[in-house]
Amino acid sequence: MSATVHVGLAATVTGGVGASPLRPDGRLKVTGEFAFSSDLWADDMLWGATLRSPHPRARITELDLGPALRIPGVYAVLTHEDVPGRRLYGLEHVDQPVLAADEVRYQGEPIVVVAADHPETARRAVKAIGIAYDVLDPVTDPEAALHADRAPRVHADRPNLLRHVPIRRGDPHAAAAVVVTGEYEVGMQDQAFLGPESGLAVPADDGGVDLYIATQWLHVDQQQVAACLDLPADKVRLTLAGVGGAFGAREDLSMQVHACLLALRTGRPVKMVYGREESFFGHVHRHPARLRYEHGADADGRLVYVKARILLDGGAYASSSGAVVANAATLGIGPYDVPNVVMDAYGLYTNNPPCGAMRGFGAVQACFAYESQMDKLAAALGLDPVEVRVRNALHTGDRMPTGQLVEGPAPVAELLRLVQSKPPAGAADFPPGGTANTTRGEGVVRGVGYGIGIKNVCFSEGFDDYATARVRLELIGGRPAVLVHTAAAEVGQGLVTVQAQIVRTELGVDQVTIAPADTAVGSAGSSSASRQTYMTGGAVRAACQAIRTRLLDRLDGLAGELRLVDGQVRDADGGTVADVAELLGDEAIEETVQWRHRPTHPLDPETGQGDAHVQYAFAAHRATVDVDTELGLVKVVEIVTAQDVGKAVNPAAVTGQIHGGTAQGLGLALMEEIQLVDGKVRNPSFTDYLLPTIMDMPPMTVDVLELADPHSPYGLRGVGEPPTISSTPAVVAAIRAATGAALTRVPVRPEHIVGV
Amino acid sequence: MRVTCTVNGTTRTADDVWPGESLLYVLRERLGLPGSKNACEQGECGSCTVYLDGTAVCACLVAAGQAAGRDVRTVEGLAPEGELDPVQRAFLQTGAVQCGFCTPGLIVSVHDLLARVPKPTDPQIREALAGNLCRCTGYEKIMDAVRLAASSAGTETR
Ligand code: FES
Ligand code: FES
């Protein structure tokens, strides 16, 4: 099969760990040459399109493919019956149909896929398919779904309760002098990456398929696609195409199996690209949540107990809901030291859109509630909101509600004091509502609010979490050069830069090439859970160390502390002992390493006790807002944030993550919500699903602490998620401070502020 | 139908264009210029921004037929082969690029802004880029990139 497919990159990076070299893919990205998954092209390729259910719950009573098949230019029209292998897939539970058989469980569920020679022909063919439904009442209320007598089962073969994580610590009946309670709600947020779901499947001569795809985890896709196609894994080869953002939305499959099915059936390359509306139906979202909290404290504001109940709407299929529930539970009281905890977190099946991974992963929803509670507690005690947090702040050596010891730095109080100590914000660039607003400032009030959050880094609960790296040191043109090959997904975060930085630091070699990520090398695990610099970074470092050992072994008899710097072997005093090029000669050294973080353990199913997490990360925010109290409009004037990153492997990329994560948290606070009515999405477009623009974002001040974690490579701490977690409650707290409105739900709407 | 227009200084012709196709589709799928991106195809994100007769527009909103006989300039045509425009260089240097999907559209929008307002104030930058969504950066480093391009661009030709 001849196909012209352009992916990957090869470029050199200068600068080691702690520097901020330019991204090796940056030049291609600014010139427009970087090949995103939607840019792929092959000779003779067809376009795929998908028929999706318009109903959240229905039985399919009739299906007539004839009219679609008769359209000239249509090459294949496939249903669940054409899936040769397993007809279901899923990350934690294999419960989601590749194509719906006789029942659909959410609006947008795929039923039929089509391949045609023009995307418009494919779309017309989808419209021409004859289909009839017996529409059923959807289960849309997660509270009702929890009770067998209040809602039917979404899946006939299992209850609607997907997972319950209880946590019990200390005395469940502890009493306190000051008690505050609250009920909170978090809307359904979308990851809204800009690069739509897309990829190109190319049938191969060996009966297999090559898939070029934007994903977060090549190997988990490969496993699932191979099972559905009934092919051995080595016949389903995946290569990472350019990824236009991820944020959790590419952890589950979207069009992967569909495109491969169509390619194998037609014998031609098939490209699928979702439009924006389809993208809203094509991936999981952030779980909407209802949260009930009771905080008890003594007269000094020291927390005596927290009781909480968290309900997460998982939607129609499980995705990663189980892990999200565990995160919400285990991180659910925040970075505070509390002796008595009664926590119950539940994940439910409903007929709402499936929910799964999104940046922050269960920690986001809980943080909005527990931080709102801390402000309430401060108000009840007449204390400053930062003071009440500092009095309860988690420290090294404290225990989480799961009993897990907090090892390594836990600078909770320090981060709070840091953001509090910054000078107050100046005047805003724009009034609330932007330049079009007619306000002259009469109804505009200012408020300041704080938030701090906690996030686990890497996969938890005993998951065998590893990353693989293959590193090769050889002479190219007489100079030492390194090739790094991993399957780790660069999704924008800058992993390609970081891998080369690590090589440079470990091997002292300038010339580093990052091979395209593919499944020809072992799994790197997912680009999620803020884990890739830790994990793939750790694997690359370990591979480099193995290479260094082998190289130095060639220096017979020379022992002691030797380092590789600038192509030379140097001793402890900096004296040159040998030249790497000479030592290496014609013989390349290659090492492939599978690297693991220290093991974690499952939670006790009744008490929630257990060392479930690898590492904790913390960030704090201070938000300053101007609110037009008449119109209910908010302008965030400034955000100050501080985060402990252990070691900033690439300081520029770290601040970039903190900026971007903070923006997504601001979006959840003020505007981002998938609006559902009876299980149907009302706003699947960028016209109606609002994202923060450059007008909405304020200037940000970022402080980065580097307090090394003794267990992690270079002492680093995962960076990507913490900034998303605490910016939401900080913004809402600032609006409350300005207006006095209760604001128990995000996103905050103008009517919540003006109280109509 | 057949559509002929000037793209990045060269006369280009696309055959068999369907009536519903946008300029964006023709550039990406028929003329081999996928640099302009397709994040919404509804005029909401700015990732498809190109110059049409010198005016920055969303290519997804321009019907292919409307571009006939006109002058189109895309991100691929901002600098000669192998070189970078000062705006491109500034995005690279300030770390304003993460996933990069918004980048081509933003670069054309910034290029257009600086051609009209060589030394924009921060509020002017924000207003000019209000139609360009970026999901990765929170816009801070994009602001840095525009400020850098404005400071270094003045004397260089664009
Ligand atoms: S693709 Fe044209 S504005 Fe979004
Ligand atoms: S860099 Fe990813 S959308 Fe802007």
Side-chain angles (χ1 to χ4, degrees):
Chain A
M1 175 57 52
S2 82
T4 318
V5 178
H6 175 76
V7 288
L9 52 104
T12 59
V13 175
T14 54
V17 169
S20 296
L22 299 183
R23 304 179 61 103
D25 55 5
R27 197 179 170 98
L28 292 176
K29 285 179 175 178
V30 299
T31 56
E33 290 167 273
F34 183 79
F36 289 94
S37 54
S38 49
D39 301 334
L40 303 177
W41 187 89
D43 290 326
D44 214 22
M45 76 182 185
L46 301 174
W47 292 80
T50 311
L51 170 67
R52 294 174 182 275
S53 168
H55 307 294
R57 184 162 175 248
R59 260 185 287 279
I60 300 166
T61 55
E62 264 176 60
L63 190 59
D64 180 9
L65 308 180
L69 283 163
R70 285 193 288 275
I71 294 175
V74 172
Y75 285 76
V77 182
L78 306 181
T79 71
H80 69 101
E81 289 177 2
D82 299 296
V83 179
R86 206 176 67 192
R87 292 182 181 179
L88 302 174
Y89 68 93
L91 290 171
E92 290 179 3
H93 302 276
V94 178
D95 66 352
Q96 187 157 1
V98 172
L99 293 166
D102 28 56
E103 185 175 353
V104 286
R105 297 187 181 82
Y106 73 96
Q107 183 203 16
E109 182 157 356
I111 303 168
V112 181
V113 287
V114 169
D117 58 8
H118 189 285
E120 186 54 31
T121 309
R123 283 191 287 268
R124 284 181 193 171
V126 162
K127 288 207 185 93
I129 292 166
I131 187 161
Y133 303 90
D134 178 10
V135 177
L136 304 170
D137 275 346
V139 179
T140 57
D141 177 4
E143 187 67 59
L146 189 56
H147 304 282
D149 55 333
R150 285 172 59 188
R153 285 183 169 193
V154 173
H155 296 264
D157 60 346
R158 78 202 73 163
N160 290 334
L161 179 59
L162 239 160
R163 191 173 183 194
H164 169 210
V165 176
I167 294 179
R168 302 288 180 267
R169 183 185 192 205
D171 175 6
H173 307 294
V178 183
V179 174
V180 291
T181 59
E183 294 202 24
Y184 304 92
E185 212 177 310
V186 176
M188 182 184 281
Q189 190 179 18
D190 190 64
Q191 299 85 348
F193 48 52
L194 285 202
E197 288 89 343
S198 44
L200 176 69
V202 184
D205 292 336
D206 65 355
V209 61
D210 292 283
L211 178 63
Y212 301 84
I213 183 77
T215 181
Q216 289 176 236
W217 187 356
L218 286 166
H219 283 80
V220 86
D221 284 9
Q222 181 192 36
Q223 265 170 29
Q224 297 181 88
V225 174
C228 297
L229 297 178
D230 197 25
L231 286 173
D234 63 355
K235 293 237 167 118
V236 179
R237 295 161 293 255
L238 273 68
T239 301
L240 189 72
V243 183
F247 319 117
R250 298 189 207 268
E251 250 192 359
D252 296 78
L253 296 181
S254 58
M255 41 56 68
Q256 282 88 331
V257 183
H258 300 161
C260 292
L261 281 173
L262 291 167
L264 289 171
R265 176 61 68 95
T266 59
R268 285 172 63 170
V270 173
K271 173 168 167 169
M272 291 187 91
V273 183
Y274 290 178
R276 182 52 51 184
E277 178 172 345
E278 187 168 25
S279 177
F280 273 99
F281 296 104
H283 60 252
V284 300
H285 312 290
R286 187 189 300 291
H287 292 72
R290 293 181 200 170
L291 313 99
R292 195 162 69 209
Y293 274 74
E294 180 179 322
H295 280 60
D298 66 20
D300 293 332
R302 280 285 306 162
L303 285 166
V304 176
Y305 70 85
V306 176
K307 294 179 187 172
R309 177 181 185 270
I310 301 174
L311 214 56
L312 296 156
D313 183 350
Y317 297 103
S319 178
S320 49
S321 285
V324 171
V325 173
N327 265 15
T330 57
L331 308 170
I333 66 160
Y336 301 112
D337 179 31
V338 184
N340 306 296
V341 176
V342 179
M343 160 71 71
D344 289 282
Y346 303 89
L348 282 313
Y349 281 120
T350 66
N351 292 111
N352 289 323
C355 289
M358 181 175 173
R359 195 176 196 169
F361 203 81
V364 164
Q365 295 91 331
C367 186
F368 171 59
Y370 66 66
E371 285 300 84
S372 298
Q373 284 285 100
M374 294 307 277
D375 286 337
K376 240 186 194 180
L377 184 61
L381 289 158
L383 281 174
D384 171 73
V386 169
E387 182 57 34
V388 80
R389 287 169 169 85
V390 167
R391 286 187 191 178
N392 291 288
L394 201 64
H395 294 94
T396 307
D398 288 342
R399 288 191 185 271
M400 295 291 286
T402 57
Q404 183 162 10
L405 189 69
V406 177
E407 300 172 78
V412 175
E414 198 177 339
L415 292 168
L416 284 162
R417 291 293 190 211
L418 200 52
V419 295
Q420 189 182 35
S421 70
K422 298 290 168 194
D429 273 353
F430 303 103
T435 46
N437 194 4
T438 51
T439 184
R440 287 179 305 278
E442 56 275 25
V444 174
V445 282
R446 177 159 289 194
V448 177
Y450 294 87
I452 185 155
I454 178 169
K455 179 68 183 48
N456 59 320
V457 174
C458 300
F459 281 23
S460 299
E461 297 187 84
F463 187 87
D464 182 25
D465 193 14
Y466 68 91
T468 314
R470 180 177 299 155
V471 178
R472 181 183 172 87
L473 171 65
E474 63 194 324
L475 292 188
I476 292 180
R479 292 185 50 216
V482 173
L483 178 68
V484 181
H485 188 184
T486 77
E490 166 63 59
V491 297
Q493 80 279 48
L495 191 64
V496 286
T497 326
V498 160
Q499 291 181 59
Q501 289 178 252
I502 290 172
V503 171
R504 186 169 155 73
T505 291
E506 296 298 329
L507 295 178
V509 170
D510 238 2
Q511 173 85 20
V512 184
T513 302
I514 309 299
D518 60 28
T519 51
V521 63
S523 174
S526 182
S527 291
S528 64
S530 306
R531 68 180 279 292
Q532 273 307 18
T533 300
Y534 194 131
M535 296 303 298
T536 290
V540 168
R541 185 173 74 148
C544 289
Q545 287 168 343
I547 289 174
R548 187 171 54 196
T549 303
R550 279 175 60 190
L551 185 72
L552 297 182
D553 278 351
R554 295 181 183 180
L555 280 172
D556 254 357
L558 257 179
E561 264 186 50
L562 298 177
R563 296 185 307 132
L564 302 182
V565 183
D566 292 340
Q568 295 176 333
V569 183
R570 300 228 179 113
D571 61 21
D573 306 325
T576 299
V577 174
D579 190 72
V580 171
E582 276 170 32
L583 206 51
L584 198 56
D586 291 337
E587 202 186 326
I589 304 179
E590 182 177 296
E591 286 285 346
T592 303
V593 171
Q594 217 179 60
W595 192 81
R596 287 174 165 76
H597 56 68
R598 59 192 179 134
T600 60
H601 303 281
L603 296 167
D604 181 283
E606 259 130 53
T607 64
Q609 298 297 296
D611 293 347
H613 296 314
V614 179
Q615 182 186 58
Y616 297 107
F618 309 92
H621 283 85
R622 181 187 82 184
T624 304
V625 302
D626 284 348
V627 184
D628 180 330
T629 51
E630 280 153 34
L631 298 173
L633 299 174
V634 177
K635 169 66 192 164
V636 181
V637 177
E638 180 207 60
I639 288 186
V640 172
T641 176
Q643 183 169 334
D644 174 27
V645 303
K647 167 76 190 172
V649 175
N650 183 317
V654 163
T655 39
Q657 286 296 304
I658 294 174
H659 289 149
T662 299
Q664 291 182 0
L666 180 149
L668 178 60
L670 293 178
M671 63 191 83
E672 289 187 42
E673 183 176 11
I674 291 185
Q675 292 157 16
L676 294 171
V677 177
D678 298 330
K680 292 192 180 181
V681 178
R682 309 312 304 221
N683 56 340
S685 73
F686 281 166
T687 315
D688 299 314
Y689 182 95
L690 299 183
L691 296 172
T693 69
I694 201 167
M695 292 282 279
D696 299 310
M697 286 310 297
M700 289 181 252
T701 303
V702 178
D703 266 306
V704 169
L705 298 186
E706 297 184 87
L707 308 175
D709 178 337
H711 294 288
S712 68
Y714 307 110
L716 72 85
R717 221 171 266 284
V719 170
E721 291 170 287
T724 308
I725 296 169
S726 43
S727 63
T728 307
V731 169
V732 178
I735 306 171
R736 283 193 202 109
T739 63
L743 306 182
T744 56
R745 186 184 195 283
V746 284
V748 173
R749 305 202 166 280
E751 57 267 31
H752 300 153
I753 294 170
V754 296
V756 290
Chain B
M1 71 184 167
R2 159 176 286 216
V3 175
T4 301
C5 53
T6 308
V7 183
N8 299 330
T10 310
T11 304
R12 301 289 303 269
T13 298
D15 282 318
D16 303 325
V17 173
W18 290 35
E21 285 179 17
S22 64
L23 172 60
L24 180 64
Y25 183 88
V26 168
L27 289 169
R28 290 176 51 78
E29 305 296 342
R30 296 194 181 277
L31 299 178
L33 291 168
S36 311
K37 297 297 170 222
N38 55 336
C40 77
E41 298 182 76
Q42 276 189 321
E44 294 289 347
C45 74
S47 70
C48 62
T49 306
V50 301
Y51 282 114
L52 184 63
D53 287 344
T55 303
V57 298
C58 292
C60 69
L61 294 182
V62 177
Q66 274 176 273
R70 299 171 73 178
D71 186 61
V72 180
R73 194 170 172 207
T74 72
V75 68
E76 289 101 334
L78 291 187
E81 181 88 39
E83 290 175 35
L84 295 181
D85 180 85
V87 177
Q88 292 171 316
R89 203 175 311 125
F91 268 69
L92 191 55
Q93 280 170 358
T94 52
V97 179
Q98 288 189 29
C99 84
F101 208 84
C102 66
T103 306
L106 265 161
I107 283 176
V108 175
S109 292
V110 172
H111 191 273
D112 173 55
L113 166 68
L114 297 184
R116 292 182 287 109
V117 187
K119 300 280 175 211
T121 62
D122 281 6
Q124 283 175 320
I125 298 171
R126 291 190 191 273
E127 276 198 74
L129 302 183
N132 288 82
L133 292 175
C134 172
R135 189 54 158 166
C136 300
T137 65
Y139 306 102
E140 277 293 86
K141 288 174 190 282
I142 290 171
M143 293 295 296
D144 291 344
V146 183
R147 294 182 197 116
L148 177 66
S151 67
S152 64
T155 54
E156 298 180 57
T157 50
R158 275 200 301 274

